[in-house]
Amino acid sequence: MKITCIQMDMELNAADRNFAAAARLIREAMSGKPDTIVLPETWNVGFSPKDILPEQCDESGRRVRQEIGSLAKQYGVNIVAGSVANIKNGKLYNTAYVFDRAGECVAEFDKCHLFSPMGEDNYFEKGQKPVSFTLDGHGCTLIICYDVRFPELVRSVTAHRKTDFLFMVSQWPSVRVPHLKALVTARAIENQMFAVCCNSCGTAGETKYGGNSMIVDPWGETLALAGQTEELLSADCNTDVLSEIRSSINVFADRRAEIYKL
């Protein structure tokens, strides 16, 4: 599977501008003939929780479904459409959407762990469950930024079903990029899957976001790594390696769930 991450520099509270930019970058990415395109976290409004304007947010994902879902159908490409600041039943959520090649929404996920150091938990509602879905026959799961620091969330999916790809969409600050690289690589190794991180860049409020989007294979090898500015990052993920690592180091067969007390 060829994957392209759109490491996007969005403008705070400028949904029209950001939707237009995302569409332009998706069209640009199609020149490389990817199977799956990935957008970052809250790309519709940027990430500065205390500054987000409700009128700039999506409503139940209507706009992202219409505009990004239509692009998935038009180009026949899977799109992990990052996440958007999204109002549902009068409450604000950080919601990710995934569209298949037919433009159908195959997954919706609300961020479960809200980043309290920036007060995200004061403005957004918490998601309540992990998500799993299938793209081109491959089992996948999806997390949003801070979720990566909680390995239980990912393992709650991978322990019970075959999962070939983890998609992480984020607004990760430049000051903690070393943590980003270590955590994404760890999730790939411990769950024996590809880990795809699509991060943002630029600034929002007082925070500078770090770029360094990355695609990591199940052995922990980095297949592609972005810089710190807006760019398209691509890698061909040879899924034949999955059976190789799972047969040689079968961690899921050797798990002892009966002794794990959480």
Side-chain angles (χ1 to χ4, degrees):
M1 180 185 287
K2 184 174 182 180
I3 296 174
T4 296
C5 294
I6 295 178
Q7 183 167 284
M8 184 175 168
D9 182 358
M10 69 287 300
E11 184 177 334
L12 189 63
N13 286 319
D16 289 345
R17 180 265 185 198
N18 294 331
F19 266 90
R24 172 180 56 81
L25 290 165
I26 288 169
R27 293 187 179 99
E28 183 179 337
M30 284 309 302
S31 64
K33 299 181 178 179
D35 297 297
T36 301
I37 293 173
V38 191
L39 289 165
E41 180 184 11
T42 56
W43 55 267
N44 65 329
V45 296
F47 191 81
S48 183
K50 65 182 178 61
D51 298 316
I52 289 175
L53 300 176
E55 61 267 27
Q56 293 294 318
C57 297
D58 209 340
E59 291 194 15
S60 299
R62 291 191 187 96
R63 186 170 185 179
V64 72
R65 290 172 190 270
Q66 179 180 355
E67 298 190 24
I68 306 302
S70 294
L71 287 169
K73 182 178 181 179
Q74 177 183 347
Y75 290 108
V77 66
N78 303 306
I79 301 181
V80 178
S83 75
V84 293
N86 183 44
I87 296 173
K88 296 189 289 187
N89 299 318
K91 296 182 179 180
L92 184 60
Y93 290 84
N94 187 338
T95 309
Y97 294 91
V98 181
F99 302 95
D100 66 12
R101 294 179 186 268
E104 296 296 322
C105 184
V106 296
E108 177 179 336
F109 171 72
D110 295 321
K111 187 176 183 178
C112 290
H113 300 91
L114 302 180
F115 193 55
S116 56
M118 288 183 68
E120 185 180 13
D121 55 325
N122 293 326
Y123 301 94
F124 288 83
E125 298 294 317
K126 295 176 182 177
Q128 297 300 320
K129 59 183 179 180
V131 68
S132 58
F133 54 96
T134 301
L135 293 178
D136 294 351
H138 293 285
C140 305
T141 190
L142 169 66
I143 58 176
I144 302 175
C145 203
Y146 192 39
D147 285 330
V148 77
R149 290 187 181 269
F150 301 87
E152 307 96 321
L153 181 65
V154 177
R155 185 53 67 93
S156 69
V157 172
T158 62
H160 300 291
R161 72 186 300 271
K162 182 181 177 182
T163 307
D164 296 340
F165 289 90
L166 167 68
F167 294 97
M168 171 187 168
V169 302
S170 59
Q171 292 262 10
W172 199 278
S174 58
V175 69
R176 288 189 291 276
V177 162
H179 290 194
L180 176 68
K181 292 179 178 178
L183 290 163
V184 172
T185 302
R187 296 296 87 79
I189 294 170
E190 69 196 8
N191 293 287
Q192 298 183 328
M193 61 188 178
F194 291 90
V196 179
C197 170
C198 184
N199 197 28
S200 69
C201 57
T203 59
E206 299 176 353
T207 304
K208 177 176 174 56
Y209 292 98
N212 281 271
S213 297
M214 59 193 304
I215 301 173
V216 181
D217 78 7
W219 290 105
E221 296 294 327
T222 301
L223 303 179
L225 177 66
Q228 298 181 17
T229 58
E230 189 168 271
E231 67 174 279
L232 304 179
L233 179 77
S234 298
D236 286 302
C237 298
N238 179 5
T239 54
D240 291 343
V241 73
L242 292 164
S243 58
E244 176 188 346
I245 189 170
R246 290 167 180 171
S247 61
S248 62
I249 310 174
N250 198 334
V251 296
F252 287 99
D254 295 334
R255 288 182 71 249
R256 295 189 58 200
E258 74 277 6
I259 69 169
Y260 307 146
K261 304 297 181 183
L262 296 177

